[in-house]
Amino acid sequence: MENQWSRGRGGRGRGRGRGVSPHGGASKQIDVSSQQRFNDAAAKHQASLQKFVDAGGAVVDSSSEEDLEDEVIIEKVLQKYSERNLADGDSRDSLQRTQQFLAETFQSGAVICLICIETIRRADAVWNCKGCYCMLHMQCVQKWVQQGAYRADSALSVELFPLKEINWHCPKCRNEYTPSDSPTKYLCFCGKVPDPAFDPWMVPHSCGQTCGKALKPECGHECLLLCHPGPCPPCPQTVQVACHCGKSPIVSRRCGAKEWSCGKVCGSLLECAHHRCTAPCHGGTCPACPRQSEQQCLCGKNRMIRPCAFPQWQCEEPCRKPLSCGNHLCEKCCHTGACGACPRSGQRSCPCGKTKVDVPCTEDVQPCGDTCDRLLSCSIHTCTQRCHTGPCGKCRESVEKQCRCGTRTKAVQCGSEYVCETKCTRMRDCHKHQCKRKCCEGNCSSCEQLCGKTLTCRNHKCSSRCHPGLCYPCPLTVDVHCTCGATKVTVPCGRQTATKPPRCLLPCRCPPDCHHPSRERHRCHAGRCPACKQICDKELKCRHRCPRFCHSAVLVKKQEKVERVGPWEPAPQVTVKLECLPCPPCRVPVPVTCLGQHETSLFACADARPHACERPCERRLACGNHRCRRTCHAMLAAPDATTAGENCQVCEAGCDRPRPEGCSHTCLLPCHQGSCPPCKQMLRVWCHCQMVHLYVECHSWAQAGGDEKRRLQSCKNQCPKMLSCGHRCTLQCHAGPCLDKLLCFEKAKLRCSCKRKKKDFPCSEVQTGVAKLECDEACAERIERQKQEKEKAYQLQAVKKEEEAKAALEEYERLMQGPKRKPRKRRGVEEEISFWNRYRVYIIVGGVLAAGTGYFFLTHGLS
């Protein structure tokens, strides 16, 4: 197989592979080419690295190697200071602030420009404030100074401030600087070297030389640290000094902390000149005396308990001592020394001041009568009144006055000021709002409204008065803590979201998300803690412990179940939520007894629940005669292990006990214990009179005797039976025969034999034949007349019946003959005539006559 490198380099006539010895010359040429390619790649990597360093790319996230290098550089910067301090055994607490500035300079993203709110890289040109030592971009500070000066210059009037020098302030501490202090060059921290080059082995923005700044407070010594950010540490030189009170011997102390206290009582005499200072050894003047004493006022009239440090005090009473004149008293308040001469003694003038007279102090000077001529409040006109006491009053001369703003004039009283109603339209110093003051003279006041703009931090609003130009950066700082809060980094407000939490080496203090009291030990970190790997050990409902790994805080993906109409709609979002998953079912074997207490078996604890063993229950039912045939089931309110419970099978068999004598019904109750209850079935029986059905309970009828049955069978109504006499029985419904007809006392009508006459008699007399009614002559005549009428009616009826029979016979013959037909030819053989066709007329006539005769005798016989 041909080598690709040899084919590519010498196989195409490029001049490198021809004339080479087959004893190793080709392999040597290949090694030289490989080495050349390696060198070229290394050079490219070195150039890329240098370009990356020049562009500030060295500022990356901190790692263990970078932390080590930072510590080495910081130790190198603090070396001279540490050597002097270690010789005295002093602590390094005084270097804490300087070390903090150094650490922030090395840490990526820790130094923020408050003007542009951007990270200051290690190779950027910067400017440092002398007051707060904050670090800002050079170009940002220059722009800040220019905009501030322009705004302030435009707000000031050239007429009022022709040569006003406009100062500018630090955006953080508001330290004031003159225009000559405006930064023009990028200097190192100590100010010796302009445009310091970035060196990864030195502090960024430093020159690497000794600082050499005069230490503060000024002691005559210089800073020994290498060029560094932040304030210089206290002077490490040692001097021989005494304590504040001078009672302790002289000791050697560091120059930066040469003021010291021995802790003894000061003992110096206080200003009260009575007590001595009881405070510990201190510098400066002693504090005021804390004690109290009784002190006299200046006039000597009153005494009061007052602080000893303030012995002089005035009461509120007037002096009231007689003056030298002997006529008046001193009106001054409590004072010391002589009261002075009487204020009314000596030569006095009249109210206008033109005439002077010498009168006793007891008399008042009278007006002189001349014109007052005192200058009025307008400072132009004089008072025209006669000499008088008291003020002269307001000038009432009418003059032409101009308003304050100079836009209008008007004739007004000289003592009054003319103010027009014109509102000032000039812009205030903020260049946003108008003055709006009436008749403004030009010196518009500063804008009193609040600025209210959102600061660059985007968290707070500007609380200053409305101003021109950019708002000052947010003065607040925010501490970015690690998760546990032990390690923090202070950043300007607004950078907390872009700043990574500092790395912390302490154990994580995050409370556990799960139910365990503590997490597994691990270092403090950002983000969510790793999943808990401890045993769950939760107590399950069955009182056993969960043996699985912790599942109380598990990240679960959730996706919304939304149907998409088309591919243009976004896919359902997938969210991750922290959920507590339930414990798995318990698998510990436990004994379980069946529902009917027939047998006991082992089941997994999660599956352990009451079950049926498929055997019949076999518990004695409540009837006491049968047993439950249901499959094994749970018992409710079973009194013992053999008696059936409330949910056992109910005996549905009917009662088969023998019935009492005379009862033909079956027991309506289900199978039961004891004797059957009395039969409540209703029997339907006829009453004695056979007119009403009575309903009687079966047990009452069966247990009743003869008399009781007769009583139950009575309907309590009047007997409906008729006696032989034709009257109704007067007794209640009863058994047996009714009353004898001879005992009937109802009224009975008795007629004569012809039925014409009638009369009421007792029924018993009629039955015995005692009562009789005979016919008379009128009865005989009536009988004869009725007999004749009956004979005539019978004859008429017979004639009528004969006519009806004849008509019926004719109609019958007509129907039997039918319609007339044409004559047919007779057959050769004559038909035989039947018995009905031959004698039918006689049969019909005879039947009709027989029927009429029977009807006649029947009707006449009944009448």
Side-chain angles (χ1 to χ4, degrees):
M1 182 177 180
E2 186 179 3
N3 194 321
Q4 292 181 354
W5 294 105
S6 61
R7 183 178 71 238
R9 293 291 181 180
R12 291 294 181 181
R14 295 294 179 96
R16 294 200 178 190
R18 296 183 178 180
V20 179
S21 173
H23 298 289
S27 61
K28 183 177 180 180
Q29 184 68 26
I30 292 173
D31 294 340
V32 174
S33 301
S34 300
Q35 184 65 30
Q36 183 65 28
R37 288 195 303 274
F38 176 77
N39 294 337
D40 295 342
K44 290 182 179 180
H45 291 166
Q46 190 67 24
S48 300
L49 180 61
Q50 185 64 31
K51 183 178 179 181
F52 178 72
V53 171
D54 294 341
V59 183
V60 295
D61 294 339
S62 59
S63 60
S64 59
E65 290 79 14
E66 290 182 356
D67 291 342
L68 181 60
E69 294 173 1
D70 296 347
E71 294 177 0
V72 172
I73 298 173
I74 294 174
E75 289 293 338
K76 183 178 179 181
V77 172
L78 304 176
Q79 183 178 3
K80 292 185 178 181
Y81 191 92
S82 302
E83 289 175 355
R84 293 184 176 273
N85 285 347
L86 292 174
D88 301 331
D90 294 338
S91 64
R92 300 177 63 184
D93 295 340
S94 59
L95 293 176
Q96 183 176 3
R97 189 177 180 189
T98 305
Q99 288 178 348
Q100 181 180 358
F101 276 96
L102 290 171
E104 291 179 354
T105 305
F106 280 103
Q107 187 176 2
S108 175
V111 183
I112 307 298
C113 178
L114 296 179
I115 299 177
C116 63
I117 314 298
E118 294 292 339
T119 304
I120 298 178
R121 297 186 296 180
R122 297 177 180 178
D124 291 344
V126 296
W127 172 83
N128 295 274
C129 177
K130 297 178 181 179
C132 61
Y133 304 99
C134 71
M135 194 180 300
L136 305 172
H137 286 124
M138 176 63 68
Q139 57 183 3
C140 293
V141 173
Q142 292 174 351
K143 185 177 180 181
W144 175 272
V145 174
Q146 292 174 2
Q147 290 184 354
Y150 171 75
R151 295 290 185 181
D153 187 21
S154 61
L156 297 176
S157 174
V158 180
E159 300 175 355
L160 300 176
F161 305 96
L163 299 175
K164 178 68 175 180
E165 191 177 59
I166 303 171
N167 296 335
W168 59 280
H169 302 80
C170 171
K172 182 177 181 182
C173 64
R174 310 297 172 90
N175 187 28
E176 187 174 5
Y177 292 92
T178 61
S180 60
D181 296 331
S182 177
T184 57
K185 294 183 180 181
Y186 168 39
L187 301 175
C188 63
F189 295 116
C190 64
K192 297 178 182 178
V193 179
D195 297 328
F198 171 71
D199 190 345
W201 300 104
M202 291 193 307
V203 178
H205 315 292
S206 69
C207 60
Q209 303 178 17
T210 304
C211 179
K213 293 181 181 179
L215 297 177
K216 294 181 181 180
E218 296 183 359
C219 60
H221 302 118
E222 296 179 350
C223 180
L224 302 178
L225 299 180
L226 299 181
C227 184
H228 62 88
C232 295
C235 182
Q237 301 289 343
T238 56
V239 292
Q240 301 292 327
V241 292
C243 64
H244 297 292
C245 64
K247 295 181 179 180
S248 299
I250 298 174
V251 296
S252 298
R253 291 187 61 84
R254 195 173 62 198
C255 183
K258 58 185 178 181
E259 301 291 337
W260 67 286
S261 172
C262 63
K264 298 179 180 179
V265 178
C266 176
S268 300
L269 188 65
L270 299 177
E271 293 182 356
C272 65
H274 296 289
H275 307 101
R276 292 188 177 275
C277 179
T278 58
C281 177
H282 60 86
T285 59
C286 294
C289 182
R291 299 186 181 182
Q292 294 184 349
S293 60
E294 186 178 7
Q295 300 174 7
Q296 192 177 19
C297 65
L298 297 179
C299 65
K301 293 182 179 181
N302 299 319
R303 302 182 68 86
M304 184 184 294
I305 302 298
R306 289 179 51 80
C308 189
F310 306 98
Q312 294 185 356
W313 65 286
Q314 287 181 314
C315 64
E316 297 180 355
E317 297 182 5
C319 179
R320 307 298 295 174
K321 291 180 181 180
L323 299 177
S324 59
C325 65
N327 298 322
H328 300 95
L329 299 178
C330 179
E331 298 296 336
K332 295 181 182 179
C333 193
C334 179
H335 63 90
T336 58
C339 294
C342 179
R344 296 171 62 89
S345 62
Q347 195 175 22
R348 291 181 289 169
S349 59
C350 64
C352 66
K354 295 180 179 179
T355 304
K356 293 185 178 180
V357 294
D358 192 359
V359 295
C361 65
T362 56
E363 297 180 4
D364 294 331
V365 178
Q366 299 298 325
C368 63
D370 197 358
T371 305
C372 181
D373 286 338
R374 283 186 290 184
L375 195 64
L376 298 176
S377 58
C378 63
S379 301
I380 300 175
H381 305 98
T382 58
C383 180
T384 58
Q385 299 180 12
R386 289 183 179 273
C387 180
H388 60 87
T389 59
C392 293
K394 191 176 180 181
C395 181
R396 301 185 181 278
E397 293 287 338
S398 178
V399 295
E400 190 80 12
K401 277 193 174 184
Q402 191 177 25
C403 64
R404 291 184 303 186
C405 63
T407 57
R408 301 188 182 188
T409 58
K410 186 179 181 181
V412 294
Q413 291 183 358
C414 183
S416 302
E417 183 181 7
Y418 173 46
V419 180
C420 68
E421 297 294 327
T422 305
K423 291 185 179 180
C424 180
T425 58
R426 298 185 185 93
M427 301 299 291
R428 295 179 183 251
D429 56 355
C430 63
H431 298 278
K432 298 177 183 177
H433 304 102
Q434 292 182 347
C435 179
K436 295 294 185 181
R437 189 173 62 168
K438 291 183 179 180
C439 195
C440 179
E441 64 273 16
N443 55 342
C444 300
S445 60
S446 300
C447 185
E448 298 179 354
Q449 299 186 27
L450 291 179
C451 177
K453 290 183 181 178
T454 303
L455 300 178
T456 53
C457 66
R458 299 187 181 277
N459 296 327
H460 305 95
K461 293 183 180 295
C462 181
S463 59
S464 303
R465 291 192 307 173
C466 189
H467 58 85
L470 300 176
C471 297
Y472 279 97
C474 183
L476 304 178
T477 58
V478 180
D479 293 337
V480 178
H481 294 266
C482 63
T483 306
C484 66
T487 307
K488 66 177 181 179
V489 176
T490 303
V491 297
C493 180
R495 290 292 300 179
Q496 60 271 23
T497 56
T499 304
K500 294 182 179 179
R503 192 179 66 173
C504 179
L505 301 178
L506 298 177
C508 180
R509 299 180 185 177
C510 293
D513 297 334
C514 59
H515 64 281
H516 290 105
S518 60
R519 293 183 180 273
E520 295 175 318
R521 187 176 179 83
H522 60 280
R523 285 187 178 182
C524 180
H525 58 88
R528 187 176 179 273
C529 292
C532 181
K533 297 297 183 182
Q534 304 180 59
I535 300 300
C536 177
D537 202 36
K538 278 186 180 179
E539 185 176 356
L540 304 176
K541 294 181 180 179
C542 58
R543 302 292 183 178
H544 295 121
R545 296 285 179 176
C546 180
R548 302 293 181 87
F549 287 118
C550 180
H551 47 80
S552 298
V554 181
L555 290 176
V556 180
K557 290 185 178 180
K558 298 272 187 175
Q559 185 175 6
E560 298 180 358
K561 296 182 178 179
V562 179
E563 294 184 1
R564 299 173 62 190
V565 178
W568 56 87
E569 290 192 355
Q573 295 183 356
V574 178
T575 57
V576 180
K577 294 184 179 180
L578 196 67
E579 293 186 357
C580 178
L581 300 181
C583 293
C586 180
R587 309 310 300 174
V588 178
V590 293
V592 180
T593 305
C594 68
L595 297 174
Q597 306 294 324
H598 301 122
E599 61 181 19
T600 301
S601 305
L602 291 177
F603 287 88
C605 185
D607 301 332
R609 59 181 59 88
H611 68 285
C613 63
E614 303 301 330
R615 296 183 182 180
C617 178
E618 291 296 337
R619 287 178 177 258
R620 187 178 297 278
L621 300 178
C623 65
N625 304 322
H626 305 89
R627 293 184 179 273
C628 179
R629 303 305 301 173
R630 285 184 58 187
T631 307
C632 178
H633 61 90
M635 296 294 147
L636 294 178
D640 50 44
T642 59
T643 307
E646 293 180 357
N647 59 335
C648 275
Q649 181 183 11
V650 178
C651 183
E652 298 179 354
C655 178
D656 54 358
R657 295 180 179 274
R659 305 300 296 162
E661 185 179 357
C663 179
S664 60
H665 306 106
T666 57
C667 181
L668 300 179
L669 296 178
C671 184
H672 60 87
Q673 296 180 353
S675 58
C676 297
C679 182
K680 298 295 183 179
Q681 292 285 347
M682 304 301 290
L683 296 179
R684 189 174 69 172
V685 296
W686 286 101
C687 62
H688 296 296
C689 55
Q690 301 297 314
M691 294 292 292
V692 179
H693 279 113
L694 300 178
Y695 293 90
V696 185
E697 291 184 352
C698 178
H699 73 93
S700 300
W701 183 263
Q703 295 177 2
D707 295 339
E708 182 66 17
K709 284 185 177 180
R710 284 191 294 271
R711 185 187 65 80
L712 293 175
Q713 202 172 354
S714 174
C715 64
K716 308 302 182 182
N717 295 325
Q718 185 180 356
C719 180
K721 295 179 182 179
M722 304 299 292
L723 299 179
S724 58
C725 63
H727 294 111
R728 185 176 176 181
C729 179
T730 58
L731 297 177
Q732 287 185 352
C733 180
H734 59 87
C738 294
L739 290 175
D740 189 5
K741 62 180 180 179
L742 299 178
L743 299 177
C744 179
F745 296 99
E746 293 290 334
K747 291 181 179 181
K749 291 182 179 181
L750 184 62
R751 293 177 180 272
C752 62
S753 58
C754 66
K755 307 295 182 182
R756 188 184 69 83
K757 294 175 61 178
K758 62 180 180 179
K759 187 178 181 181
D760 292 337
F761 293 96
C763 181
S764 57
E765 295 180 1
V766 174
Q767 295 295 331
T768 55
V770 175
K772 292 182 179 181
L773 186 61
E774 298 292 338
C775 292
D776 54 5
E777 295 178 357
C779 291
E781 293 177 0
R782 181 174 176 273
I783 292 171
E784 184 64 26
R785 190 171 52 253
Q786 289 179 353
K787 185 176 180 181
Q788 292 176 3
E789 290 177 358
K790 285 182 181 180
E791 289 179 356
K792 289 180 180 180
Y794 179 74
Q795 292 175 1
L796 292 174
Q797 188 175 6
V799 173
K800 188 177 180 180
K801 286 183 178 181
E802 287 179 1
E803 291 177 356
E804 290 177 356
K806 185 176 180 180
L809 181 60
E810 291 178 356
E811 181 67 20
Y812 180 74
E813 288 179 351
R814 188 182 64 81
L815 293 175
M816 292 301 294
Q817 289 177 2
K820 294 182 178 181
R821 297 180 181 179
K822 294 180 179 181
R824 291 183 179 179
K825 294 180 179 182
R826 295 187 177 181
R827 296 181 180 178
V829 180
E830 292 183 0
E831 295 181 359
E832 185 179 357
I833 300 172
S834 62
F835 179 79
W836 170 255
N837 290 332
R838 181 174 294 177
Y839 301 104
R840 61 182 177 182
V841 176
Y842 303 103
I843 294 173
I844 292 172
V845 171
V848 171
L849 292 176
T853 303
Y855 175 76
F856 175 79
F857 284 107
L858 180 61
T859 55
H860 285 277
L862 290 175
S863 62

